[in-house]
Amino acid sequence: KVVGELFSSKRFIILGSVDIHNTSCSQIEKNIVDQITNFGIVGIKLHPNLQNFKPQPSHNPSKLSEKLHCLYKFAEKEGLYLLFHGGISNYTNFIDPKYKGVLRSYNNAVLENFCSKKGKSELFENYSIPIVIAHLGHYGITIPNYELIKLIVKKFGNVYFDTSGVSPYFIRNVLRSIPSTKIIFGSDGLYNRMAYNLAFLYLAAENARSGEKKEDILL
């Protein structure tokens, strides 16, 4: 609500979210409709580590699985896209009192929880909805699974990755693995200046040697 009231203007694209544990299926739909009406949201941001759920519904307890199905189906119906955190979250090992003891996860959002190494994904296969995995799917992970990134992009036309919070070296290697049309610029929170994030992408594009022109990658 605070973000929507401060930033819902033509200069910004606003994403909504829901408390997946403490909201019923019917309330999930109402909350999303309210966010579309009041703030013009175009997508839903989800953080499997912070919100403590697995991206694929069947990998969760039954009640949580049902809520995720409700959320994904309603987002699909409303023409929204999904943006997921991808990677680990060290800070979730510390319980913030404001969460009233609700457990959080360290690694629910690792890429292997979105799709198996054989290319099976309940999430990617069953919903015709654009899905973006932030941080190229590997925030905080030192040994990226390039083969899984390549498999996901090859098999699922609705899945994209963003560059938030990752190094030029990692972006460059992913550009060598998948088409640049599947990679979206992301700045993350302002841990670095925006100029640094743009510079990271520029350096990666300049050194990609992927067969694409630098200018085409940066488009």
Side-chain angles (χ1 to χ4, degrees):
K1 183 174 184 295
V2 171
V3 170
E5 289 177 347
L6 287 174
F7 298 105
S8 57
S9 74
K10 293 181 179 178
R11 294 184 59 229
F12 295 96
I13 293 172
I14 304 294
L15 303 187
S17 196
V18 296
D19 180 350
I20 198 66
H21 286 278
N22 297 310
T23 312
S24 67
C25 276
S26 60
Q27 193 65 37
I28 285 172
E29 295 185 7
K30 182 182 184 304
N31 286 359
I32 293 174
V33 169
D34 287 347
Q35 291 174 52
I36 293 171
T37 302
N38 295 328
F39 309 122
I41 68 166
V42 297
I44 303 292
K45 169 66 187 289
L46 294 165
H47 200 307
N49 296 342
L50 188 61
Q51 295 177 291
N52 196 20
F53 70 92
K54 297 284 182 66
Q56 300 191 62
S58 65
H59 294 183
N60 299 275
S62 59
K63 288 185 178 180
L64 187 54
S65 175
E66 180 184 359
K67 291 179 182 181
L68 287 169
H69 277 302
C70 288
L71 173 58
Y72 297 162
K73 287 178 182 176
F74 196 71
E76 183 177 52
K77 177 184 174 184
E78 294 297 320
L80 305 176
Y81 74 90
L82 302 177
L83 170 62
F84 286 90
H85 174 83
I88 60 175
S89 299
N90 289 308
Y91 62 86
T92 54
N93 290 325
F94 303 96
I95 299 297
D96 189 317
K98 73 179 180 180
Y99 295 109
K100 299 179 182 179
V102 174
L103 295 178
R104 299 182 289 177
S105 167
Y106 167 72
N107 61 357
N108 277 348
V110 297
L111 197 57
E112 290 77 5
N113 283 335
F114 288 90
C115 182
S116 75
K117 63 182 180 181
K118 294 183 178 180
K120 298 296 294 180
S121 174
E122 178 188 1
L123 170 59
F124 298 159
E125 292 172 7
N126 293 339
Y127 301 94
S128 56
I129 183 171
I131 296 171
V132 180
I133 312 297
H135 320 296
L136 296 176
H138 285 81
Y139 186 85
I141 295 174
T142 56
I143 305 177
N145 190 339
Y146 295 109
E147 290 303 314
L148 187 53
I149 294 175
K150 287 166 60 177
L151 178 62
I152 289 171
V153 166
K154 180 179 179 181
K155 188 168 182 181
F156 304 107
N158 60 322
V159 181
Y160 302 82
F161 294 88
D162 87 18
T163 63
S164 56
V166 292
S167 70
Y169 175 81
F170 184 23
I171 299 171
R172 181 204 70 183
N173 287 348
V174 174
L175 282 167
R176 291 177 177 177
S177 301
I178 65 176
S180 63
T181 52
K182 305 299 290 186
I183 303 174
I184 299 168
F185 171 72
S187 65
D188 207 352
L190 298 179
Y191 310 120
N192 294 318
R193 293 182 180 181
M194 183 68 75
Y196 291 160
N197 295 293
L198 290 167
F200 289 170
L201 184 60
Y202 184 88
L203 287 171
E206 192 169 52
N207 295 293
R209 299 186 182 89
S210 62
E212 295 184 76
K213 293 181 180 179
K214 176 179 67 178
E215 293 79 7
D216 293 336
I217 292 172
L218 294 174
L219 285 176

